[in-house]
Structure formats: C-alpha cells, structure tokens
Amino acid sequence: MTNLDQLLKDLCPEGVEYRKLNTICEIYDGTHTTPNYTDSGVPFVSVENINDLYGTKKYISESDYKKYKIKPQIGDVFMTRIGSIGTCAVVDRNDDLAYYVSLALLRPNPEIINSRFLKYAIESKQGRKELRKRTLINAVPIKINKDDIGLIIISVPPLEIQREIVRILDNFTELEARKKQYEYYRDQLLTFEPLAGGTALTFGGSSSLKSQTLEPAVVILTKGLKKVYIRSMFVLLNH
C-alpha cells in the first residue's frame, strides 16, 4: 500500500468532498483600464505572462499601483480567464505585481486548500471541464466571467492528502520528457467519480452504500482513487 493509499483509507473512508471554488477561496480580477506603461516601476502582467510572471517587460508607476485594492501575496493563484482559460501560476514571493483584467487572482483559504493543489485541480481534465461549462465561447476573445469562476466545482480532500498529491505531481513537472505521463496521472489523481443521489461509496471497492445529506452543488461525496493508477505512478517515479 502506498502512502497515498493509506492516507485515503485513514482520512477519507467514505469519500472525498467536492466544493464550489467560491467557498474555499476569494476571487478577484485585475484592472479593467489599459495601464500607462513606464520604463521601470512595478511589473505588470497579463494572460501572456502566466508561464513566467516575473519575466514581464512591462511596468506601471508606483502611484498607479497604490490604486490596487487587492495586491498579490505568497500563496495566491493567478488563472487566465480571457483568451486563454484555466492556466494557473502560484505566487511564490511578496514582490509588487500589477495585473490586468485577463487574469483572475484566487486567494485560497489555507486551512482548506493548498495553493499548488488548487492549480493542479483547475488545470486537470475535470477542472477544465468545469470551466468550459461557464466559458463564453461566442465572446471575442473567449472568456469566463469572474463570478462564474467561483461556481466551478473541484475535489477538496484533506490537506495531508493534497500535499501528498502535490509532491507527486511536482516530481512529474520536473521531468519534461514525461509531460504526457504527468498530464495523464494528474488527471487520474484529481478525478473522483461522483455518486448519483448524494451517496458515499467506501474505498477499496466495497459495495456497501451509506446515505449522505448534501448541500446542493456545494459538497458531493465521491469514490476514492483507483489504486491501480497510484501504484503505476509510483513505479514510474522510481524508474
């Protein structure tokens, strides 16, 4: 039994809950006004900078940055929401960073969800599916409204399990040659099968069901991960 298997067995004997994003983090977007760029000052980022937040060559003045009510801080997650939808970057320093409306800033509740787990969950197959439901595909460019981001539903296992999943996926991201393997196992780790009627199925393939009362569209109990995927992942990581 792997460490993740044991954690699931110990901490989630009846399943993993799914929650709306707006119940586990605050959601903001950047300035809606085209900035007055300067030669130096506070770095300014938009959707085009999501893969290298601190490599931007655009800046705004300190005085303009003071107008920002919400300033990024360590642990925040930027998510693209206009043109490109659902690509994320975790803020890992407290440097000043101005941001445009094309980016949403998610501020997770650290007592509920790990920032890197949130990134992986949104970028997973299930997360992308949730985003597509609310994406305005006829808009030019395509976009998802800020308030609709809060309606997407993601899995929220206990923090100890989140940290273990992040550890596994971080190892994969360091191996560029295994990108396809990483994407496949990321989706397996972050996909739980929802149970019809709000019932919970115990882990380990048990067929016994227990009734569970749920808040509509907020919490859904789900089956655990299929252990064959977990075992396969650890074989890959150790070769």
Side-chain angles (χ1 to χ4, degrees):
M1 179 178 291
T2 69
N3 186 46
L4 185 53
D5 285 330
Q6 188 63 56
L7 288 173
L8 286 167
K9 180 180 178 181
D10 293 345
L11 301 179
C12 304
E14 295 187 347
V16 175
E17 67 177 359
Y18 274 49
R19 296 181 62 168
K20 284 183 179 179
L21 205 58
N22 60 16
T23 69
I24 58 175
C25 64
E26 300 171 39
I27 303 171
Y28 309 97
D29 60 5
T31 179
H32 290 229
T33 304
T34 302
N36 296 314
Y37 295 118
T38 57
D39 293 333
S40 61
V42 177
F44 182 88
V45 294
S46 63
V47 64
E48 65 187 25
N49 306 112
I50 194 65
N51 293 318
D52 185 13
L53 291 177
Y54 304 100
T56 180
K57 303 301 181 183
K58 295 179 179 179
Y59 304 90
I60 65 171
S61 67
E62 294 280 354
S63 58
D64 281 348
Y65 185 62
K66 288 180 180 179
K67 299 174 184 177
Y68 277 68
K69 294 181 179 180
I70 305 299
K71 297 177 172 62
Q73 61 188 36
I74 290 175
D76 287 349
V77 177
F78 279 115
M79 188 197 87
T80 59
R81 74 174 195 89
I82 298 178
S84 167
I85 310 293
T87 302
C88 297
V90 178
V91 177
D92 60 8
R93 60 192 82 170
N94 278 326
D95 295 352
D96 290 343
L97 194 63
Y99 55 105
Y100 195 46
V101 65
S102 58
L103 294 176
L105 185 144
L106 314 179
R107 182 158 292 168
N109 181 339
E111 296 182 358
I112 300 175
I113 192 162
N114 176 285
S115 296
R116 291 194 64 76
F117 180 87
L118 176 60
K119 165 186 162 63
Y120 287 133
I122 291 173
E123 292 181 339
S124 71
K125 183 177 180 180
Q126 181 62 32
R128 298 282 188 174
K129 182 178 179 180
E130 282 289 307
L131 287 169
R132 281 196 298 272
K133 292 178 184 177
R134 296 165 179 85
T135 296
L136 302 177
I137 60 174
N138 292 323
V140 181
I142 63 170
K143 66 178 182 178
I144 181 170
N145 289 329
K146 178 178 71 69
D147 290 343
D148 287 338
I149 295 171
L151 301 179
I152 75 169
I153 298 172
I154 65 169
S155 59
V156 187
L159 282 169
E160 192 171 354
I161 291 176
Q162 293 180 37
R163 287 190 288 267
E164 179 64 8
I165 290 175
V166 166
R167 184 190 68 79
I168 294 169
L169 293 178
D170 280 352
N171 284 338
F172 264 95
T173 59
E174 294 172 3
L175 304 172
E176 188 62 29
R178 293 182 177 178
K179 184 177 180 181
K180 292 298 181 182
Q181 292 175 339
Y182 153 71
E183 291 175 351
Y184 173 76
Y185 286 108
R186 175 200 63 196
D187 291 340
Q188 296 303 331
L189 279 171
L190 296 169
T191 300
F192 300 83
E193 299 175 26
L195 299 178
T199 54
L201 181 64
T202 59
F203 289 107
S206 170
S207 60
S208 61
L209 294 174
K210 297 181 180 179
S211 297
Q212 180 73 27
T213 301
L214 304 173
E215 295 180 23
V218 175
V219 178
I220 304 172
L221 290 179
T222 64
K223 287 193 292 186
L225 297 167
K226 295 179 180 178
K227 294 183 179 180
V228 62
Y229 297 132
I230 306 305
R231 286 197 295 270
S232 297
M233 180 179 299
F234 275 83
V235 169
L236 283 168
L237 285 174
N238 291 311
H239 284 76

